[in-house]
Amino acid sequence: MVAQLQTPALNVPSDLPYTVPGLVQVFTSGQRNFFTDVMAQALRIAGQGTSVLIVQFLKGGINQGHDRPMQLGENLDWVRCGLPGCIETSDIDESQKNSLLDLWHYTQAVVAEGKYELVVLDELSLAINFGLIPENEVLDFLEKRPSNLDIILTGPNMPEEILDIADQITEIRRSHRP
C-alpha cells in the first residue's frame, strides 16, 4: 500500500492585526565571496512563501536587466544590470552608469509598491563607494521603506552611516586554520 502525502492547508490570515517591523541586515567582508550564503537564505525564505527580490547592482552578462527579471519559483525575482559584463571599477561609461541607475530607480519603485517582504541589495556598498549610487539616497530609501520590509545589504567596506542604522551586521572573515 502506498501512503498518500498531503500538504496541510495553511490558514494564515492575510491581514494580521499588527505588523512585524522589518530589519536592515548587513553582510560585509573584505572579500567578495559570500553571496552564496545570502542567496541560500533568500531561497529558503522564498520557499516558505515569502516574496523576495534580489538585486545585483554590479553584475551583468546574462541579458537580465530590470525589465527582464529572472523568476526562481513563485516567490523570488532576481534582477541585474542590463549590461554585457560586470562593473569592476568606478571608471564606467555613460551607458553603464545609466543601466545601473535604471536598476536603482526600479528597485526604489518596486519597494515603494510593497510587493516584496525581503529585498537583497547585492554589492550595494561597492556601488556607493564607486560613487555610482549616492549614499544619501540609500539612507533615504532605507528610512522610507515599508515598515515590514526586511532588507539585506551586501558588499565590502559598507559605509559607516549605513552600519549605524543596521539592525544586524554580519562580518564574514576567512579563517586560516590548517
Side-chain angles (χ1 to χ4, degrees):
M1 181 181 267
V2 176
Q4 185 177 17
L5 297 176
Q6 289 184 329
T7 304
L10 296 176
N11 295 320
V12 178
S14 60
D15 295 322
L16 295 173
Y18 59 90
T19 58
V20 177
L23 300 176
V24 174
Q25 300 176 55
V26 172
F27 285 75
T28 188
S29 174
Q31 297 82 32
R32 292 174 59 185
N33 60 355
F34 58 89
F35 181 70
T36 304
D37 297 334
V38 174
M39 186 65 168
Q41 180 177 346
L43 285 168
R44 183 177 64 252
I45 290 170
Q48 295 171 350
T50 301
S51 56
V52 176
L53 172 66
I54 296 175
V55 181
Q56 289 189 293
F57 286 102
L58 303 183
K59 299 284 191 278
I62 59 173
N63 198 21
Q64 182 196 347
H66 69 276
D67 54 337
R68 293 177 303 281
M70 180 182 295
Q71 293 184 308
L72 301 176
E74 292 180 31
N75 300 313
L76 193 144
D77 294 337
W78 183 4
V79 295
R80 291 178 163 191
C81 273
L83 299 172
C86 297
I87 298 173
E88 300 282 337
T89 175
S90 62
D91 186 27
I92 60 174
D93 65 34
E94 199 65 28
S95 68
Q96 291 172 311
K97 184 169 184 172
N98 288 338
S99 181
L100 184 128
L101 290 176
D102 286 347
L103 182 58
W104 172 236
H105 295 137
Y106 166 81
T107 302
Q108 292 173 303
V110 296
V111 165
E113 291 173 9
K115 181 178 176 182
Y116 298 100
E117 297 171 71
L118 170 64
V119 175
V120 176
L121 304 178
D122 185 42
E123 293 189 336
L124 183 66
S125 67
L126 287 174
I128 293 169
N129 293 333
F130 287 167
L132 303 173
I133 296 177
E135 182 179 343
N136 63 332
E137 283 187 25
V138 174
L139 291 167
D140 188 52
F141 166 78
L142 293 172
E143 182 180 321
K144 293 180 179 174
R145 77 188 192 281
S147 62
N148 64 323
L149 178 67
D150 287 319
I151 295 190
I152 297 176
L153 310 170
T154 74
N157 304 315
M158 190 66 67
E160 282 298 320
E161 286 191 52
I162 292 175
L163 293 175
D164 289 342
I165 65 167
D167 297 299
Q168 175 184 329
I169 301 168
T170 302
E171 183 179 0
I172 299 166
R173 300 180 286 153
R174 280 204 174 134
S175 173
H176 297 289
R177 296 181 187 164

